Amino acid sequence: SIMKQIEIKTEYIKHDAFMKFAGAVMSGGEAKELVKQGEVRVNGEVCPQRGKKLFGGETVEVHNNEFKVVKSCSW
């Protein structure tokens, strides 16, 4: 699968919000359900933690899609 780079303008983003923002899920509820079921990997490891903060460079895997958090440079 191709890793999609998703740019964030904040210091971090919570992974359920990130999945919705990236288009990996339709809703925050779906994201929470997938986390609960162990379907979400952060940096290659199953992440059972709800509301985990993601920073630039971290990766999220869900539904065989991979996303990378890219911090936009705001000078």
Side-chain angles (χ1 to χ4, degrees), residues 26-73:
M26 296 304 288
S27 68
E30 184 187 348
K32 286 186 178 78
E33 201 50 45
L34 289 170
V35 169
K36 207 163 79 177
Q37 292 168 10
E39 300 286 328
V40 178
R41 290 176 174 268
V42 174
N43 302 323
E45 294 185 8
V46 172
C47 180
Q49 186 186 340
R50 277 176 53 183
K52 175 169 173 53
K53 293 176 181 175
L54 301 173
F55 295 86
E58 297 198 274
T59 60
V60 176
E61 215 177 310
V62 61
H63 292 318
N64 292 322
N65 292 312
E66 286 185 275
F67 302 94
K68 183 170 189 166
V69 182
V70 178
K71 175 95 175 71
S72 74
C73 300

